[in-house]
Amino acid sequence: MESVVRWNRFGRIKEMNFSLRKRRAATAAKNAGVDGMLVTHLPDVRYLCGFTGSNGALVLAGGRAVLFTDGRYTAQAKAEAVGTRVVIAKKPAVMAACEWMAAAGVRRCGFDAANTTVAGLETMRKAVAAGASGANAKARRGMFVALGPVVARMREVKDAEEIVKMRAAARVGCELFEGMLTYLEAGLTEAEVAATLEYAARLAGAEGMSFDTIVASGLRSALPHGRATGAKLPKRGFVTLDFGVILDGYSSDMTRTVHMGKAMPGERDVYDSVLEAQEAAVAAVAPGVTAGEVDEAARSVLRRVKLDKYFSHSTGHGVGLEIHEGPRLAAKQKQVLEQGMVITIEPGVYMPGRFGLRIEDMVLVTAKGGEVLTPSVKAWIEL
Ligand code: ZN
Ligand code: ZN
């Protein structure tokens, strides 16, 4: 067979992964009773065909995959969506995709209900019914079938190529944190800390941050999601840093809490309890274990020392092409962990009017247990 020169030396590997993913999605769609699937959630589009543009709709139907986008992405779509037919449309990608499906005779089209708006669904219905009338138009309008998170579910288990990327993103996060340890000092504003961290992230190759960097100091550390403000780091008190970088599309996510100056009474005990809870949950990670069991491993440690009422969120979440994806690690969650999932473990304690802290790692579910991808020091740090 003639060998084909691809746009870069990784082209063949990419094509292999994408064709496998597209096949698996098509099988899932078939099992759901539809003969076509419209994928519009951009992280899903990227996952299935490699396209990273801001306007794209992917159709899987009749053994074919067709990506619809617009003229801004002519060169990029062809380079990225290796092995997928690309159609440059002069109208919104979703409309062009729907018209193509109507013309191709798709009878039942699955769509992602969680990522489609009411207005978006109406646009899809209008597009497939265009040019038809009466009963035919009505039948076409009725062709859409709301599907569960078919692609999102696939994305929960990472393949080897994705794990390489997630390891790299996690490693950059650790390097940034270690850099911050030599920089943090009382009097800096939280915004200055966030800006410095984000500047360093860009220099380290990050495409962006996974989310708005959280720097919560002093009394503000009691806010679980305290975005960086003009508040100054105290001479004595906690500083929680929760941040992540996007590298090659994949997000990292980690939290460390350090203490400025000497601990005040009680602070060290609470820190040690959160650390013990975090390590207990990391130790509980294994394939076959439920998400709820991992959550309970953390929560039970805090319950024993009567701090569980201050642990006001879930223990963790999946991470990948999106910062928050499945599985959700919360109380009583029955979902079973599988090898290849990448999750966060991030218990915290938040005592309003006093202080708060959180410790978060990214953990890969391996064949036997869990591997921490963010091995930065978690022991008590006093600066
Ligand atoms: Zn985080
Ligand atoms: Zn997180």
Side-chain angles (χ1 to χ4, degrees), residues 180-181 183-188 193 216-218 232-241 257-264 267 380-383:
M180 293 312 282
L181 289 179
Y183 164 78
L184 292 177
E185 62 177 29
L188 287 171
V193 173
S217 66
K232 289 182 169 157
L233 304 198
K235 286 199 172 68
R236 283 179 84 178
F238 285 113
V239 180
T240 297
L241 299 168
T257 302
V258 298
H259 199 276
M260 308 302 293
K262 276 176 74 69
M264 285 178 270
E267 289 180 335
W380 175 265
I381 293 177
E382 230 168 64
L383 295 173

mmCIF file of all heavy atoms in Angstrom, residues 180-181 183-188 193 216-218 232-241 257-264 267 380-383:
data_model
loop_
_atom_site.group_PDB
_atom_site.id
_atom_site.type_symbol
_atom_site.label_atom_id
_atom_site.label_comp_id
_atom_site.label_asym_id
_atom_site.label_seq_id
_atom_site.Cartn_x
_atom_site.Cartn_y
_atom_site.Cartn_z
ATOM 1 N N MET A 180 6.901 29.234 42.877
ATOM 2 C CA MET A 180 6.175 30.197 43.718
ATOM 3 C C MET A 180 6.716 30.205 45.148
ATOM 4 O O MET A 180 6.643 31.213 45.841
ATOM 5 C CB MET A 180 4.676 29.858 43.757
ATOM 6 C CG MET A 180 3.951 30.025 42.440
ATOM 7 S SD MET A 180 4.274 31.589 41.618
ATOM 8 C CE MET A 180 3.238 32.676 42.565
ATOM 9 N N LEU A 181 7.260 29.085 45.589
ATOM 10 C CA LEU A 181 7.748 28.999 46.977
ATOM 11 C C LEU A 181 8.882 29.986 47.232
ATOM 12 O O LEU A 181 9.057 30.462 48.351
ATOM 13 C CB LEU A 181 8.215 27.568 47.284
ATOM 14 C CG LEU A 181 7.102 26.532 47.388
ATOM 15 C CD1 LEU A 181 7.694 25.149 47.665
ATOM 16 C CD2 LEU A 181 6.087 26.909 48.461
ATOM 17 N N TYR A 183 9.059 32.845 45.824
ATOM 18 C CA TYR A 183 8.546 34.176 45.473
ATOM 19 C C TYR A 183 7.555 34.731 46.488
ATOM 20 O O TYR A 183 7.541 35.937 46.767
ATOM 21 C CB TYR A 183 7.903 34.080 44.081
ATOM 22 C CG TYR A 183 6.994 35.209 43.701
ATOM 23 C CD1 TYR A 183 7.513 36.442 43.288
ATOM 24 C CD2 TYR A 183 5.606 35.070 43.755
ATOM 25 C CE1 TYR A 183 6.669 37.489 42.936
ATOM 26 C CE2 TYR A 183 4.756 36.104 43.408
ATOM 27 C CZ TYR A 183 5.298 37.311 42.999
ATOM 28 O OH TYR A 183 4.460 38.336 42.668
ATOM 29 N N LEU A 184 6.754 33.841 47.079
ATOM 30 C CA LEU A 184 5.686 34.297 47.973
ATOM 31 C C LEU A 184 6.246 35.031 49.183
ATOM 32 O O LEU A 184 7.173 34.549 49.828
ATOM 33 C CB LEU A 184 4.862 33.095 48.469
ATOM 34 C CG LEU A 184 4.005 32.361 47.442
ATOM 35 C CD1 LEU A 184 3.318 31.164 48.098
ATOM 36 C CD2 LEU A 184 2.973 33.299 46.823
ATOM 37 N N GLU A 185 5.661 36.203 49.485
ATOM 38 C CA GLU A 185 6.017 36.885 50.730
ATOM 39 C C GLU A 185 4.879 37.798 51.159
ATOM 40 O O GLU A 185 4.062 38.225 50.331
ATOM 41 C CB GLU A 185 7.343 37.652 50.596
ATOM 42 C CG GLU A 185 7.337 38.750 49.581
ATOM 43 C CD GLU A 185 8.662 39.511 49.540
ATOM 44 O OE1 GLU A 185 9.705 38.910 49.852
ATOM 45 O OE2 GLU A 185 8.642 40.696 49.190
ATOM 46 N N ALA A 186 4.848 38.066 52.460
ATOM 47 C CA ALA A 186 3.798 38.927 53.007
ATOM 48 C C ALA A 186 3.826 40.267 52.283
ATOM 49 O O ALA A 186 4.903 40.783 51.961
ATOM 50 C CB ALA A 186 4.021 39.113 54.508
ATOM 51 N N GLY A 187 2.653 40.827 52.014
ATOM 52 C CA GLY A 187 2.575 42.145 51.394
ATOM 53 C C GLY A 187 2.303 42.094 49.902
ATOM 54 O O GLY A 187 1.778 43.053 49.328
ATOM 55 N N LEU A 188 2.657 40.992 49.227
ATOM 56 C CA LEU A 188 2.292 40.838 47.816
ATOM 57 C C LEU A 188 0.774 40.728 47.734
ATOM 58 O O LEU A 188 0.162 40.126 48.625
ATOM 59 C CB LEU A 188 2.889 39.557 47.232
ATOM 60 C CG LEU A 188 4.384 39.496 46.957
ATOM 61 C CD1 LEU A 188 4.766 38.065 46.585
ATOM 62 C CD2 LEU A 188 4.755 40.455 45.832
ATOM 63 N N VAL A 193 0.389 37.658 42.829
ATOM 64 C CA VAL A 193 0.787 36.242 42.879
ATOM 65 C C VAL A 193 0.213 35.497 41.673
ATOM 66 O O VAL A 193 0.923 34.766 40.971
ATOM 67 C CB VAL A 193 0.313 35.584 44.197
ATOM 68 C CG1 VAL A 193 0.565 34.084 44.181
ATOM 69 C CG2 VAL A 193 1.015 36.239 45.396
ATOM 70 N N ALA A 216 -6.127 32.516 47.644
ATOM 71 C CA ALA A 216 -7.000 32.912 48.748
ATOM 72 C C ALA A 216 -6.155 32.955 50.012
ATOM 73 O O ALA A 216 -5.650 31.928 50.458
ATOM 74 C CB ALA A 216 -8.155 31.926 48.896
ATOM 75 N N SER A 217 -5.993 34.174 50.551
ATOM 76 C CA SER A 217 -5.063 34.321 51.676
ATOM 77 C C SER A 217 -5.783 34.800 52.931
ATOM 78 O O SER A 217 -6.838 35.427 52.856
ATOM 79 C CB SER A 217 -3.963 35.315 51.299
ATOM 80 O OG SER A 217 -4.508 36.603 51.124
ATOM 81 N N GLY A 218 -5.171 34.513 54.063
ATOM 82 C CA GLY A 218 -5.687 34.988 55.354
ATOM 83 C C GLY A 218 -7.128 34.556 55.554
ATOM 84 O O GLY A 218 -7.487 33.405 55.305
ATOM 85 N N LYS A 232 -3.752 41.646 50.365
ATOM 86 C CA LYS A 232 -2.314 41.350 50.525
ATOM 87 C C LYS A 232 -2.107 40.074 51.331
ATOM 88 O O LYS A 232 -2.854 39.801 52.276
ATOM 89 C CB LYS A 232 -1.633 42.518 51.238
ATOM 90 C CG LYS A 232 -1.536 43.734 50.330
ATOM 91 C CD LYS A 232 -0.817 44.888 50.989
ATOM 92 C CE LYS A 232 -0.540 45.937 49.925
ATOM 93 N NZ LYS A 232 -0.356 47.265 50.438
ATOM 94 N N LEU A 233 -1.071 39.331 50.974
ATOM 95 C CA LEU A 233 -0.737 38.141 51.753
ATOM 96 C C LEU A 233 -0.371 38.585 53.159
ATOM 97 O O LEU A 233 0.388 39.541 53.337
ATOM 98 C CB LEU A 233 0.449 37.382 51.135
ATOM 99 C CG LEU A 233 0.378 36.929 49.674
ATOM 100 C CD1 LEU A 233 1.429 35.844 49.419
ATOM 101 C CD2 LEU A 233 -0.994 36.418 49.277
ATOM 102 N N PRO A 234 -0.921 37.899 54.167
ATOM 103 C CA PRO A 234 -0.693 38.319 55.546
ATOM 104 C C PRO A 234 0.707 37.927 56.040
ATOM 105 O O PRO A 234 1.372 37.087 55.424
ATOM 106 C CB PRO A 234 -1.768 37.542 56.307
ATOM 107 C CG PRO A 234 -1.924 36.288 55.511
ATOM 108 C CD PRO A 234 -1.707 36.668 54.068
ATOM 109 N N LYS A 235 1.123 38.523 57.171
ATOM 110 C CA LYS A 235 2.392 38.106 57.785
ATOM 111 C C LYS A 235 2.236 36.730 58.414
ATOM 112 O O LYS A 235 3.179 35.946 58.459
ATOM 113 C CB LYS A 235 2.800 39.116 58.864
ATOM 114 C CG LYS A 235 3.324 40.419 58.292
ATOM 115 C CD LYS A 235 4.131 41.170 59.349
ATOM 116 C CE LYS A 235 4.826 42.377 58.757
ATOM 117 N NZ LYS A 235 3.863 43.440 58.349
ATOM 118 N N ARG A 236 1.011 36.480 58.936
ATOM 119 C CA ARG A 236 0.713 35.148 59.496
ATOM 120 C C ARG A 236 -0.634 34.684 58.964
ATOM 121 O O ARG A 236 -1.636 35.380 59.146
ATOM 122 C CB ARG A 236 0.666 35.191 61.031
ATOM 123 C CG ARG A 236 2.023 35.226 61.679
ATOM 124 C CD ARG A 236 1.903 35.296 63.187
ATOM 125 N NE ARG A 236 1.721 33.983 63.795
ATOM 126 C CZ ARG A 236 1.631 33.813 65.126
ATOM 127 N NH1 ARG A 236 1.666 34.838 65.939
ATOM 128 N NH2 ARG A 236 1.490 32.591 65.618
ATOM 129 N N GLY A 237 -0.638 33.533 58.336
ATOM 130 C CA GLY A 237 -1.912 32.983 57.852
ATOM 131 C C GLY A 237 -1.712 32.115 56.621
ATOM 132 O O GLY A 237 -0.625 32.083 56.037
ATOM 133 N N PHE A 238 -2.780 31.424 56.258
ATOM 134 C CA PHE A 238 -2.707 30.505 55.123
ATOM 135 C C PHE A 238 -2.803 31.243 53.790
ATOM 136 O O PHE A 238 -3.430 32.301 53.688
ATOM 137 C CB PHE A 238 -3.861 29.498 55.180
ATOM 138 C CG PHE A 238 -3.682 28.420 56.208
ATOM 139 C CD1 PHE A 238 -4.511 28.342 57.321
ATOM 140 C CD2 PHE A 238 -2.677 27.471 56.046
ATOM 141 C CE1 PHE A 238 -4.356 27.335 58.257
ATOM 142 C CE2 PHE A 238 -2.518 26.459 56.984
ATOM 143 C CZ PHE A 238 -3.350 26.398 58.091
ATOM 144 N N VAL A 239 -2.195 30.647 52.763
ATOM 145 C CA VAL A 239 -2.408 31.061 51.376
ATOM 146 C C VAL A 239 -2.699 29.788 50.576
ATOM 147 O O VAL A 239 -1.869 28.866 50.545
ATOM 148 C CB VAL A 239 -1.165 31.753 50.767
ATOM 149 C CG1 VAL A 239 -1.454 32.167 49.322
ATOM 150 C CG2 VAL A 239 -0.756 32.951 51.599
ATOM 151 N N THR A 240 -3.881 29.738 49.983
ATOM 152 C CA THR A 240 -4.256 28.592 49.148
ATOM 153 C C THR A 240 -4.074 28.966 47.672
ATOM 154 O O THR A 240 -4.585 29.994 47.232
ATOM 155 C CB THR A 240 -5.722 28.202 49.417
ATOM 156 O OG1 THR A 240 -5.839 27.797 50.784
ATOM 157 C CG2 THR A 240 -6.154 27.048 48.521
ATOM 158 N N LEU A 241 -3.325 28.149 46.974
ATOM 159 C CA LEU A 241 -3.105 28.340 45.531
ATOM 160 C C LEU A 241 -3.735 27.163 44.805
ATOM 161 O O LEU A 241 -3.344 26.015 45.033
ATOM 162 C CB LEU A 241 -1.600 28.342 45.206
ATOM 163 C CG LEU A 241 -0.727 29.412 45.837
ATOM 164 C CD1 LEU A 241 0.744 29.067 45.635
ATOM 165 C CD2 LEU A 241 -1.027 30.761 45.214
ATOM 166 N N THR A 257 -1.613 24.518 49.890
ATOM 167 C CA THR A 257 -1.829 25.584 50.865
ATOM 168 C C THR A 257 -0.565 25.721 51.699
ATOM 169 O O THR A 257 -0.080 24.721 52.243
ATOM 170 C CB THR A 257 -3.043 25.266 51.767
ATOM 171 O OG1 THR A 257 -4.198 25.097 50.949
ATOM 172 C CG2 THR A 257 -3.285 26.394 52.756
ATOM 173 N N VAL A 258 -0.023 26.919 51.728
ATOM 174 C CA VAL A 258 1.183 27.158 52.533
ATOM 175 C C VAL A 258 0.826 28.137 53.650
ATOM 176 O O VAL A 258 -0.230 28.771 53.614
ATOM 177 C CB VAL A 258 2.337 27.736 51.666
ATOM 178 C CG1 VAL A 258 2.726 26.754 50.574
ATOM 179 C CG2 VAL A 258 1.963 29.082 51.062
ATOM 180 N N HIS A 259 1.687 28.238 54.626
ATOM 181 C CA HIS A 259 1.428 29.147 55.737
ATOM 182 C C HIS A 259 2.493 30.235 55.780
ATOM 183 O O HIS A 259 3.689 29.948 55.754
ATOM 184 C CB HIS A 259 1.406 28.388 57.074
ATOM 185 C CG HIS A 259 0.725 29.162 58.151
ATOM 186 N ND1 HIS A 259 1.361 30.114 58.903
ATOM 187 C CD2 HIS A 259 -0.574 29.156 58.583
ATOM 188 C CE1 HIS A 259 0.506 30.650 59.758
ATOM 189 N NE2 HIS A 259 -0.679 30.079 59.580
ATOM 190 N N MET A 260 2.043 31.492 55.821
ATOM 191 C CA MET A 260 2.973 32.603 55.975
ATOM 192 C C MET A 260 3.231 32.763 57.483
ATOM 193 O O MET A 260 2.280 32.874 58.265
ATOM 194 C CB MET A 260 2.370 33.912 55.429
ATOM 195 C CG MET A 260 1.814 33.833 54.003
ATOM 196 S SD MET A 260 3.009 33.318 52.765
ATOM 197 C CE MET A 260 4.136 34.716 52.765
ATOM 198 N N GLY A 261 4.486 32.777 57.856
ATOM 199 C CA GLY A 261 4.836 32.940 59.269
ATOM 200 C C GLY A 261 4.467 31.717 60.091
ATOM 201 O O GLY A 261 4.078 30.673 59.555
ATOM 202 N N LYS A 262 4.598 31.890 61.408
ATOM 203 C CA LYS A 262 4.363 30.759 62.314
ATOM 204 C C LYS A 262 2.865 30.468 62.455
ATOM 205 O O LYS A 262 2.052 31.385 62.452
ATOM 206 C CB LYS A 262 4.939 31.077 63.708
ATOM 207 C CG LYS A 262 6.436 30.785 63.831
ATOM 208 C CD LYS A 262 6.965 31.199 65.195
ATOM 209 C CE LYS A 262 6.538 30.239 66.304
ATOM 210 N NZ LYS A 262 7.180 28.914 66.215
ATOM 211 N N ALA A 263 2.561 29.198 62.605
ATOM 212 C CA ALA A 263 1.160 28.787 62.760
ATOM 213 C C ALA A 263 0.576 29.351 64.037
ATOM 214 O O ALA A 263 1.266 29.498 65.044
ATOM 215 C CB ALA A 263 1.081 27.268 62.794
ATOM 216 N N MET A 264 -0.725 29.683 63.960
ATOM 217 C CA MET A 264 -1.440 30.074 65.166
ATOM 218 C C MET A 264 -2.099 28.816 65.750
ATOM 219 O O MET A 264 -2.231 27.818 65.037
ATOM 220 C CB MET A 264 -2.449 31.169 64.836
ATOM 221 C CG MET A 264 -1.721 32.499 64.620
ATOM 222 S SD MET A 264 -2.767 33.869 64.178
ATOM 223 C CE MET A 264 -2.791 33.805 62.415
ATOM 224 N N GLU A 267 -4.118 25.742 63.865
ATOM 225 C CA GLU A 267 -3.985 25.715 62.407
ATOM 226 C C GLU A 267 -3.261 24.462 61.918
ATOM 227 O O GLU A 267 -3.655 23.827 60.946
ATOM 228 C CB GLU A 267 -3.242 26.975 61.911
ATOM 229 C CG GLU A 267 -4.070 28.239 62.030
ATOM 230 C CD GLU A 267 -3.345 29.477 61.533
ATOM 231 O OE1 GLU A 267 -2.093 29.495 61.525
ATOM 232 O OE2 GLU A 267 -4.038 30.441 61.157
ATOM 233 N N TRP A 380 3.537 20.279 55.643
ATOM 234 C CA TRP A 380 3.390 21.675 56.135
ATOM 235 C C TRP A 380 4.558 22.538 55.644
ATOM 236 O O TRP A 380 5.728 22.175 55.813
ATOM 237 C CB TRP A 380 3.362 21.638 57.661
ATOM 238 C CG TRP A 380 3.333 22.969 58.327
ATOM 239 C CD1 TRP A 380 4.408 23.661 58.793
ATOM 240 C CD2 TRP A 380 2.179 23.765 58.607
ATOM 241 N NE1 TRP A 380 4.002 24.840 59.338
ATOM 242 C CE2 TRP A 380 2.635 24.943 59.252
ATOM 243 C CE3 TRP A 380 0.816 23.620 58.374
ATOM 244 C CZ2 TRP A 380 1.773 25.958 59.678
ATOM 245 C CZ3 TRP A 380 -0.048 24.619 58.810
ATOM 246 C CH2 TRP A 380 0.435 25.768 59.446
ATOM 247 N N ILE A 381 4.232 23.676 55.032
ATOM 248 C CA ILE A 381 5.274 24.606 54.581
ATOM 249 C C ILE A 381 5.022 25.963 55.259
ATOM 250 O O ILE A 381 3.939 26.523 55.172
ATOM 251 C CB ILE A 381 5.245 24.787 53.047
ATOM 252 C CG1 ILE A 381 5.644 23.492 52.343
ATOM 253 C CG2 ILE A 381 6.183 25.918 52.612
ATOM 254 C CD1 ILE A 381 5.564 23.555 50.820
ATOM 255 N N GLU A 382 6.058 26.458 55.930
ATOM 256 C CA GLU A 382 5.984 27.774 56.586
ATOM 257 C C GLU A 382 6.954 28.684 55.855
ATOM 258 O O GLU A 382 8.128 28.356 55.721
ATOM 259 C CB GLU A 382 6.451 27.617 58.046
ATOM 260 C CG GLU A 382 5.496 28.210 59.059
ATOM 261 C CD GLU A 382 5.852 27.769 60.465
ATOM 262 O OE1 GLU A 382 6.955 28.121 60.948
ATOM 263 O OE2 GLU A 382 5.048 27.078 61.084
ATOM 264 N N LEU A 383 6.462 29.821 55.361
ATOM 265 C CA LEU A 383 7.340 30.731 54.595
ATOM 266 C C LEU A 383 7.625 31.995 55.391
ATOM 267 O O LEU A 383 6.789 32.447 56.147
ATOM 268 C CB LEU A 383 6.683 31.087 53.266
ATOM 269 C CG LEU A 383 6.486 29.926 52.281
ATOM 270 C CD1 LEU A 383 5.661 30.394 51.092
ATOM 271 C CD2 LEU A 383 7.816 29.373 51.800
#
